[in-house]
Amino acid sequence: MDMKDFLDMEVIDKEGQSIGKVDTVKFNEDTGTINEIVIKLDKGIFSRAKEIITFNEIKK
């Protein structure tokens, strides 16, 4: 999977609800591992709310 495939991917919480879409993926340039994912939260058309989660918080 390419990094660009992650952008705008839907993010589902542990209850199965859509919470937003992937905005940015931050990774370690030395190891190539993902450190954080920034999610654009689905809080309405004019919302710019974002949430940062670490790689360890991702289930799949």
Side-chain angles (χ1 to χ4, degrees):
M1 180 176 269
D2 290 332
M3 189 63 68
K4 66 181 178 182
D5 294 332
F6 283 111
L7 300 179
D8 286 328
M9 183 179 278
E10 186 175 19
V11 179
I12 308 296
D13 67 11
K14 62 184 175 183
E15 285 84 33
Q17 301 296 314
S18 176
I19 60 169
K21 295 191 177 197
V22 174
D23 182 58
T24 307
V25 178
K26 298 180 181 181
F27 63 96
N28 181 312
E29 293 181 33
D30 296 328
T31 64
T33 57
I34 296 172
N35 291 335
E36 297 177 344
I37 295 178
V38 179
I39 302 168
K40 291 184 286 190
L41 299 177
D42 189 14
K43 295 212 179 235
I45 192 167
F46 297 111
S47 175
R48 296 183 186 261
K50 294 184 180 181
E51 175 90 16
I52 297 174
I53 60 171
T54 64
F55 186 76
N56 294 335
E57 295 175 283
I58 300 170
K59 184 173 181 179
K60 63 178 181 175

